[in-house]
Amino acid sequence: MLNDIYTKQKAQADKSLEALKKEFTTLRTGKVSINILDNITVDYYGTQTPLNQVATILATDASTINISPWEKSMLKGIETAISAANIGVNPTNDGEAVKLFFPPMTREQREENVKQAKAMGEKAKVSIRNVR
């Protein structure tokens, strides 16, 4: 009986840690990661669809992300979704793809990332405490 309780609690705690790891990937560090776009959804024929399911996303260098939609009609929708997501960059549409140019991080942005990381950690700690 105690082993069953232990295994259930361990599984729930592991889920909390995995969620924390996934949240940490959305934070911006020195090099741009395509995981920053994980929480962005686009209106695709009336359905909110994750961006990575309607386009190819590539980090071409340390400060640029290139988003090539599978349908050219999606360019405007992708631009508006990125603008609404408020990730700190304005999308540039060149007619074929949407490009995101990330400037170097400022001190304030780094401090804001630290605050977000602490908040994410606290949320995970509370989740694990609730499991206990």
Side-chain angles (χ1 to χ4, degrees):
M1 170 135 160
L2 288 176
N3 286 337
D4 292 338
I5 294 171
Y6 174 74
T7 55
K8 287 179 185 177
Q9 287 180 336
K10 175 104 172 93
Q12 289 176 340
D14 288 343
K15 286 180 186 177
S16 296
L17 288 176
E18 287 301 316
L20 178 64
K21 288 178 186 177
K22 186 175 180 184
E23 282 186 56
F24 276 160
T25 61
T26 62
L27 288 176
R28 182 172 170 220
T29 57
K31 183 181 178 198
V32 174
S33 170
I34 61 171
N35 294 329
I36 272 182
L37 305 174
D38 281 351
N39 297 330
I40 297 178
T41 58
V42 180
D43 184 28
Y44 185 66
Y45 296 109
T47 304
Q48 290 297 320
T49 308
L51 182 60
N52 62 358
Q53 293 182 10
V54 297
T56 303
I57 304 170
L58 296 171
T60 55
D61 60 28
S63 63
T64 307
I65 293 179
N66 189 19
I67 304 166
S68 301
W70 297 328
E71 297 177 18
K72 299 302 176 201
S73 61
M74 292 298 300
L75 283 172
K76 188 67 176 164
I78 290 172
E79 273 188 292
T80 56
I82 291 171
S83 296
N86 195 18
I87 59 173
V89 67
N90 291 324
T92 305
N93 181 352
D94 66 0
E96 295 289 319
V98 176
K99 295 187 182 201
L100 304 175
F101 298 102
F102 289 85
M105 291 184 70
T106 63
R107 180 180 185 94
E108 291 82 22
Q109 289 173 325
R110 291 180 195 277
E111 289 172 357
E112 184 63 31
N113 276 352
V114 168
K115 289 178 187 176
Q116 288 177 350
K118 284 182 181 178
M120 290 174 187
E122 283 299 318
K123 184 178 165 186
K125 286 179 192 176
V126 168
S127 175
I128 290 174
R129 276 191 221 119
N130 288 338
V131 168
R132 282 193 302 182

